[in-house]
Amino acid sequence: MAKNMKGKDLISLLDLTPEEIDQILDTASFLKRLHYTGEPFRPLQGKTLGMIFTKPSTRTRVSFQVAIYQLGGMGIYLGADDLQLGRGETIADTARVLSRYLDGIMIRTFAHDDVVQLAEHADIPVVNGLTDLLHPTQVLADLLTLREKKGRLAGLKLTYIGDGNNVAHSLLFGCAKMGVNLTLATPAGHEPLAWVVARAKEEAARRGCQIELTDDPRAAVQGADAVYTDVWTSMGQEQEREQRLKALQPFQVNARLMAHAGEDALFLHCLPAHRGEEVTDEVMDGPQSVVFDEAENRLHVHKAILALVM
Ligand code: CP
Ligand code: NVA
């Protein structure tokens, strides 16, 4: 392997170099091929991954647990009520204690700063499995899917339609790092955070790709190699659901919108999908949709991350 990533945290794609992202994607492709040959590969025998979840999960939870198992290690699921964190033990002390037992931590929670703090005080690698701000492991799987389907990353055009949320933020960083042109169409009041856009634009300028923001979904999908959307109401925003449904309705990805993108455009969604809201059945189940390949790639990417950092 080109570069030693042992011990490295994965908190934000902004912290990775394009070479490191390439290394994760190359390792994921290698492990995916190996997986299909049925040949065992157990570099993490005897190692344990703690998996902290204070939000629900289907894909992240199951794919990380399967990933560590297939690599020869063991995963321990730690739910919101399982740790003393919920009863006032500090994040720093939790990090110090877990470092004495575990070889790695994957965490999904609300406040991004909690993950940053955990990583600061842990002596073992910490992987961000989603915060209110970012979802980096998702976007690594998205990049792998795009690369598999389109044969390259640099120079592609990805269009994100909908809420400027954690997934949109990680797409901004991931696309900018890998030279993918990204257009985001979001309604007023639901734009991605200004500092995230500014940092992504700095990176994009270095790689010679474009980041564009608009409130016009039709114009945004013109010439897109892939159209991406996510739920309008993220975990933790449930009380804003009615307002969000109204504001985001014109941003639904349906057959009419996909027609503006053209036949070669893929459809991506991190899932879970709220069918009938941000995306219609015809698009989810249509020929352009690669959402289940994308979900599968979470497993291969997570195996790559764990094998590289643990
Ligand atoms: N895409 C994703 O992270 O799904 P889960 O919430 O099911 O983990
Ligand atoms: N934006 C969504 C992603 C779920 C995987 C959320 O945070 O709920």
Side-chain angles (χ1 to χ4, degrees):
M1 274 158 199
K3 208 163 166 210
N4 193 353
M5 291 180 70
K6 287 276 172 264
K8 208 174 157 74
D9 298 316
L10 205 172
I11 309 293
S12 164
L13 296 181
L14 210 47
D15 306 332
L16 300 182
T17 63
E19 292 71 31
E20 286 172 330
I21 295 177
D22 263 332
Q23 195 179 353
I24 294 171
L25 302 184
D26 291 347
T27 306
S29 295
F30 165 75
L31 292 175
K32 185 171 182 175
R33 280 195 304 276
L34 210 61
H35 182 74
Y36 281 106
T37 66
E39 205 182 312
F41 179 66
R42 302 199 177 99
L44 299 185
Q45 228 148 21
K47 300 219 172 170
T48 311
L49 176 73
M51 308 191 303
I52 304 175
F53 283 88
T54 68
K55 284 178 175 176
S57 169
T58 297
R59 280 143 288 270
T60 308
R61 176 178 177 175
V62 177
S63 58
F64 265 105
Q65 179 109 38
V66 170
I68 183 74
Y69 171 74
Q70 289 185 355
L71 293 170
M74 184 182 79
I76 304 181
Y77 176 81
L78 301 161
D81 299 327
D82 296 330
L83 293 172
Q84 297 284 9
L85 260 179
R87 295 181 61 250
E89 186 165 21
T90 68
I91 292 173
D93 287 346
T94 304
R96 292 178 185 117
V97 171
L98 291 180
S99 299
R100 302 287 178 107
Y101 304 137
L102 300 170
D103 303 287
I105 300 173
M106 184 255 111
I107 176 166
R108 163 172 292 196
T109 195
F110 294 86
H112 187 75
D113 275 353
D114 288 355
V115 177
V116 173
Q117 246 195 75
L118 187 79
E120 249 168 46
H121 295 278
D123 305 324
I124 53 178
V126 171
V127 178
N128 175 2
L130 180 147
T131 63
D132 290 345
L133 184 69
L134 297 173
H135 197 2
T137 62
Q138 174 66 53
V139 168
L140 289 169
D142 302 336
L143 292 171
L144 178 64
T145 310
L146 272 177
R147 198 177 80 165
E148 285 175 351
K149 305 285 178 190
K150 295 287 179 184
R152 68 195 165 108
L153 286 177
L156 291 179
K157 176 181 173 177
L158 176 66
T159 298
Y160 178 90
I161 306 282
D163 184 32
N165 61 17
N166 44 9
V167 170
H169 290 157
S170 280
L171 281 171
L172 274 159
F173 290 155
C175 288
K177 288 271 178 182
M178 301 313 283
V180 177
N181 300 297
L182 178 65
T183 301
L184 295 104
T186 57
H190 295 276
E191 298 92 349
L193 290 174
W195 75 262
V196 173
V197 174
R199 287 295 285 110
K201 282 190 172 172
E202 280 170 28
E203 281 294 329
R206 243 171 259 150
R207 321 272 163 231
C209 63
Q210 305 293 321
I211 305 284
E212 282 171 18
L213 268 68
T214 170
D215 59 2
D216 181 348
R218 278 195 183 187
V221 300
Q222 299 286 339
D225 292 292
V227 176
Y228 196 124
T229 192
D230 182 18
V231 291
W232 291 339
T233 304
S234 285
M235 292 179 275
Q237 299 175 330
E238 290 74 12
Q239 70 292 350
E240 297 171 15
R241 185 173 148 77
E242 290 312 313
Q243 180 273 327
R244 288 174 164 276
L245 278 177
K246 215 180 281 166
L248 284 141
Q249 193 56 54
F251 292 77
Q252 183 185 68
V253 178
N254 50 37
R256 254 174 301 130
L257 186 67
M258 285 303 287
H260 286 275
E263 278 174 18
D264 293 336
L266 302 172
F267 172 70
L268 287 98
H269 192 311
C270 59
L271 306 180
H274 286 186
R275 289 168 178 255
E277 292 184 18
E278 78 276 3
V279 61
T280 55
D281 286 337
E282 61 199 349
V283 173
M284 270 288 284
D285 303 327
Q288 288 161 278
S289 173
V290 294
V291 297
F292 299 111
D293 296 325
E294 192 184 351
E296 175 186 333
N297 279 339
R298 294 294 298 285
L299 171 65
H300 307 299
V301 159
H302 297 167
K303 283 171 80 172
I305 294 167
L306 297 180
L308 288 166
V309 304
M310 276 176 75

